[in-house]
Amino acid sequence: MDPDGVGDPDGELVEIGARMEPGRAGSRQRRLELREVREQDRAAVERLIASDVSERNVAMRTALEGVLANREIEAAFQARDRDRLLTLAGPLLARLDTFGITQLYFHNPDRTVLLRVHDPERGGDQIDRLTLLEAVRTQEPALGLEASLTRGLPALRLVSPWRVGDQLIGYVELSEEIGGIVRRVQSTLDLNAFLWIHKNVIQRETWEAELRAAGRSPVWDRYPEVVLVEGTLPAPPAELDARFVGPTHSDADSVVDRKSTRLNS
């Protein structure tokens, strides 16, 4: 499988819209020209996101190799010694954090969380994310762009089985939030862009708390199905805003495009 491929429109839901300033020309010919340009812009946004993910893919795989090579961590993981595992993996995550990797998980073979190094008070819950399910299915590393349950930002996740000889002792997961996408779209492509996330893949209470902690005001009830995560303008333009106020997103001439990505390794 292509580690850098972007595909599967039924993957995790990340909504991104890029708005071009259309000017004042109103002829049918001008509208058709704008529609063609918008298609080009959409393709450019997709290429930009794929390029960002590809670069981070290399860094995360290097970090994963370092975790898997640590025999002390391996022994603590195999023994299900959470305290020892946290003592060893905590400083490791602090080093990885300087490279943008902010979350480190150790999962049992049944997909329950043995340890969240970044949040050790939580554990024992079973994880159903696509990346972990893919790693379980293939018994190979799986890379995925999925929604962060807390901040609502896209999170790049890399999950790998961990074997000692013929024994599967569990799965290790690294995660990095991909923030600032809309700013890169603006600076690189000279477009105003907005990022939405589907409500059914985030937790309202934690999402609102995270935004308040970052000095932002969360607005959950503006749209029935999605929330606005970030944008290059203080508020979406009227035509972009209207697209998400209703329950459906099927307007073919909309200036916003849906981007759903799942990456497989």
Side-chain angles (χ1 to χ4, degrees):
M1 289 179 286
D2 178 7
D4 300 330
V6 176
D8 192 346
D10 295 321
E12 287 298 308
L13 298 175
V14 177
E15 300 272 353
I16 184 163
R19 179 181 188 263
M20 223 187 71
E21 296 296 340
R24 296 185 178 275
S27 69
R28 177 173 175 80
Q29 180 180 358
R30 176 61 175 168
R31 287 197 297 273
L32 289 172
E33 290 172 356
L34 283 174
R35 195 170 303 151
E36 292 170 2
V37 170
R38 286 171 187 151
E39 289 299 328
Q40 295 170 5
D41 291 337
R42 292 184 179 113
V45 170
E46 291 180 11
R47 289 194 298 271
L48 180 63
I49 294 173
S51 175
D52 277 3
V53 169
S54 178
E55 290 179 7
R56 297 311 305 158
N57 177 15
V58 174
M60 292 185 75
R61 287 179 184 274
T62 300
L64 175 64
E65 290 173 2
V67 176
L68 293 173
N70 191 308
R71 298 284 77 89
E72 289 186 293
I73 289 179
E74 178 183 276
F77 190 15
Q78 189 172 19
R80 302 293 184 260
D81 188 340
R82 294 183 77 258
D83 292 339
R84 177 67 173 159
L85 193 55
L86 181 59
T87 297
L88 295 168
L92 174 60
L93 180 59
R95 293 195 297 273
L96 294 177
D97 189 38
T98 63
F99 299 99
I101 297 171
T102 57
Q103 298 179 347
L104 173 58
Y105 300 76
F106 293 91
H107 303 295
N108 293 310
D110 64 357
R111 305 197 322 275
T112 56
V113 179
L114 175 66
L115 176 66
R116 288 176 172 87
V117 179
H118 53 284
D119 189 6
E121 299 303 316
R122 296 173 58 214
D125 51 314
Q126 190 171 64
I127 301 299
D128 293 322
R129 286 192 292 267
L130 291 178
T131 42
L132 180 54
L133 293 172
E134 183 73 3
V136 170
R137 184 183 70 82
T138 64
Q139 289 300 297
E140 297 288 343
L143 180 73
L145 186 61
E146 300 176 321
S148 165
L149 288 177
T150 55
R151 297 180 63 190
L153 291 174
L156 186 62
R157 300 182 185 276
L158 178 61
V159 185
S160 175
W162 196 324
R163 291 185 173 275
V164 178
D166 294 331
Q167 180 190 5
L168 174 69
I169 65 172
Y171 300 86
V172 61
E173 175 179 342
L174 302 176
S175 178
E176 173 187 355
E177 285 187 339
I178 310 296
I181 286 179
V182 296
R183 297 296 173 189
R184 288 196 292 282
V185 169
Q186 184 184 52
S187 62
T188 304
L189 304 176
D190 196 26
L191 295 171
N192 284 315
F194 303 86
L195 180 67
W196 284 265
I197 208 81
H198 273 253
K199 290 180 177 180
N200 62 359
V201 296
I202 58 175
Q203 297 170 346
R204 177 174 181 172
E205 294 79 8
T206 51
W207 177 77
E208 289 179 336
E210 287 280 348
L211 259 65
R212 291 191 183 98
R216 297 171 57 190
S217 299
V219 180
W220 181 267
D221 295 323
R222 172 60 184 164
Y223 308 108
E225 298 177 358
V226 300
V227 291
L228 178 63
V229 176
E230 57 181 3
T232 54
L233 296 174
E239 68 270 29
L240 205 58
D241 186 71
R243 183 176 188 268
F244 289 97
V245 170
T248 60
H249 308 158
S250 59
D251 180 5
D253 294 335
S254 172
V255 296
V256 63
D257 187 35
R258 172 169 172 162
K259 172 70 186 152
S260 299
T261 60
R262 184 174 70 199
L263 310 175
N264 296 322
S265 62

